[in-house]
Amino acid sequence: MSRTMSTRQQLLTYLKEGKGTWVSGESLADKMAVSRSAIWKHIRHLKEDGYVIDSSRRKGYLLRQSSALLLADEIKEGLHTSVFGRRGIVYFKETDSTNTRAKFMASDGAPEGTVVIAEEQTQGKGRRGRRWFSPPGEGIYASIILRPSISPHEAPRLTLLASVAVAEAILAMTSLQVNIKWPNDILINGRKVAGILTEISTEMDRIDYVIIGVGVNVNTPYASLPPDIKDIATSIVMETGKPFPRIALLRAYLEWLEMYYETFRTKGFEPVLNRWKILADIIGRRISVDLIDRVRTGEVLDIDKDGFLILREQDGTLERIISGDVTLLHK
Ligand code: BTN
């Protein structure tokens, strides 16, 4: 297996070095000390993985286009992180839910920074037991395993941290107006483009692992959005009118996530929360928040140091809320 992987990676490197010119099968076979038919077999697998490669009996092989799939090798190339995505990227063409897969791997001892990615999820999970629309090839569905030395009640901070990382990645790569809606919806022009689902496993009063799953609608056309989210969801392609490189966005997200996680570990939560507050623009706004069993209305006084929302209700009572569905109200 590892030999197959490394031969394949080597082959890709040689094809990429060719920079749009033909590379002969013979020279590849020589350099890699394998038969020409082995080369041909690997080329076939690369094509199945979405690489566009021309083959000619006389001239050899020419890489026309890299794969647009979220393959581990493509993500790692040019990824500027030291831990996230460096200790393993597990890729599925299709899976039930990357969060579910990541949980199994974390229980089996997978290290911090392991990333699980799927091209398609058959049971993508959203917050509050909802489904997350996860069609093949159009979005990013990724989960990362973290093992922070914090107590369980501090875990909501990581959700806010991840929402900042998603927002930063989109902001850095587009000129779109990106906002965070508490606690962790990423909005463009008031519509949801990405969401985060954090799941934690605790032992006594310490965290065993945290799974942060992010779903981003990247190249989803309006027509393919399910009717129930057509009015509230958006995608990057819908906002910019241009297909968007998923791989580059995923890399940027991992880089921002690692950067903020490092800030959190070394300097505490405050710098992250301050950035979150700027991106969220919710303090001082009138909102109603649906808490499953009741709805509360009032003014947002603050987001406290644990990531809870502090709401002042009409009668002046203060409510500290950990999670809910927020609707902004006009004054
Ligand atoms: C939300 O409801 O806003 C959260 C959506 C989170 C979706 C992502 S997609 C990758 C990961 N795997 C899942 O099953 N869910 C999260």
Side-chain angles (χ1 to χ4, degrees):
M1 179 69 185
S2 73
R3 179 167 165 77
T4 314
M5 283 304 292
S6 67
T7 310
R8 197 192 123 126
Q9 276 169 324
Q10 253 181 311
L11 176 58
L12 251 182
T13 310
Y14 287 132
L15 290 173
K16 285 184 177 173
E17 277 171 9
K19 293 200 178 21
T21 61
W22 290 92
V23 185
S24 81
E26 199 179 335
S27 73
L28 289 169
D30 277 356
K31 280 193 217 165
M32 289 160 53
V34 295
S35 67
R36 286 183 67 170
S37 70
I39 298 284
W40 180 82
K41 200 182 76 197
H42 287 296
I43 295 276
R44 206 186 60 208
H45 287 152
L46 286 172
K47 284 183 178 175
E48 281 166 10
D49 273 349
Y51 291 89
V52 183
I53 301 170
D54 290 352
S55 326
S56 143
R57 207 176 271 277
R58 216 165 41 82
K59 293 186 274 187
Y61 303 102
L62 184 149
L63 177 66
R64 288 225 173 265
Q65 210 179 307
S66 273
S67 177
L69 300 182
L70 296 171
L71 302 169
D73 291 346
E74 291 298 323
I75 293 162
K76 280 188 205 146
E77 203 175 290
L79 175 67
H80 300 293
T81 58
S82 45
V83 176
F84 292 6
R86 295 263 158 228
R87 297 175 176 167
I89 297 182
V90 181
Y91 171 84
F92 293 95
K93 270 221 162 103
E94 182 199 293
T95 193
D96 47 0
S97 150
T98 56
N99 265 31
T100 306
R101 293 300 111 208
K103 274 198 272 183
F104 281 122
M105 289 173 209
S107 306
D108 280 351
E112 173 159 277
T114 305
V115 176
V116 184
I117 295 162
E119 214 65 55
E120 174 180 10
Q121 296 184 119
T122 52
Q123 287 173 59
K125 296 185 286 185
R127 283 173 53 230
R128 307 178 103 189
R130 297 188 188 116
R131 279 292 184 93
W132 184 258
F133 175 59
S134 313
E138 292 176 356
I140 291 175
Y141 321 114
S143 303
I144 188 160
I145 298 172
L146 300 179
R147 297 186 183 276
S149 318
I150 56 174
S151 64
H153 82 268
E154 291 175 305
R157 296 174 171 188
L158 294 172
T159 310
L160 267 66
L161 187 152
S163 63
V164 172
V166 177
E168 297 281 24
I170 301 175
L171 279 171
M173 295 185 64
T174 66
S175 48
L176 296 168
Q177 180 80 41
V178 183
N179 269 124
I180 303 174
K181 191 172 97 167
W182 183 86
N184 50 12
D185 288 352
I186 316 300
L187 310 185
I188 299 176
N189 291 324
R191 288 168 185 244
K192 182 159 168 176
V193 70
I196 289 150
L197 180 68
T198 304
E199 298 185 71
I200 76 170
S201 166
T202 56
E203 265 170 26
M204 308 292 280
D205 60 350
R206 60 171 279 275
I207 287 182
D208 181 16
Y209 60 80
V210 178
I211 308 295
I212 297 185
V214 59
V216 189
N217 303 328
V218 184
N219 290 320
T220 325
Y222 179 72
S224 80
L225 291 176
D228 57 324
I229 59 169
K230 264 191 158 45
D231 290 343
I232 52 171
T234 190
S235 67
I236 299 187
V237 71
M238 279 167 59
E239 298 296 330
T240 62
K242 284 195 289 253
F244 200 76
R246 289 184 308 155
I247 295 178
L249 183 61
L250 180 54
R251 269 193 223 119
Y253 163 66
L254 291 174
E255 288 163 5
W256 282 105
L257 190 70
E258 185 173 279
M259 198 280 281
Y260 277 109
Y261 190 57
E262 201 44 34
T263 302
F264 173 52
R265 282 187 339 111
T266 55
K267 302 199 175 97
F269 187 53
E270 206 182 316
V272 183
L273 183 60
N274 287 342
R275 183 64 180 140
W276 186 93
K277 285 181 184 176
I278 292 169
L279 291 165
D281 187 26
I282 195 177
I283 293 164
R285 304 286 295 264
R286 265 179 46 77
I287 64 163
S288 77
V289 49
D290 181 348
L291 306 170
I292 302 185
D293 56 339
R294 63 215 153 95
V295 176
R296 290 280 184 255
T297 304
E299 184 194 343
V300 180
L301 278 194
D302 200 6
I303 304 296
D304 74 10
K305 60 178 183 16
D306 294 319
F308 287 58
L309 185 141
I310 312 295
L311 189 75
R312 182 169 54 202
E313 291 180 87
Q314 233 107 34
D315 62 2
T317 46
L318 296 186
E319 177 110 33
R320 191 169 179 257
I321 304 167
I322 182 170
S323 175
D325 276 346
V326 167
T327 308
L328 291 176
L329 303 173
H330 296 289
K331 293 218 166 146

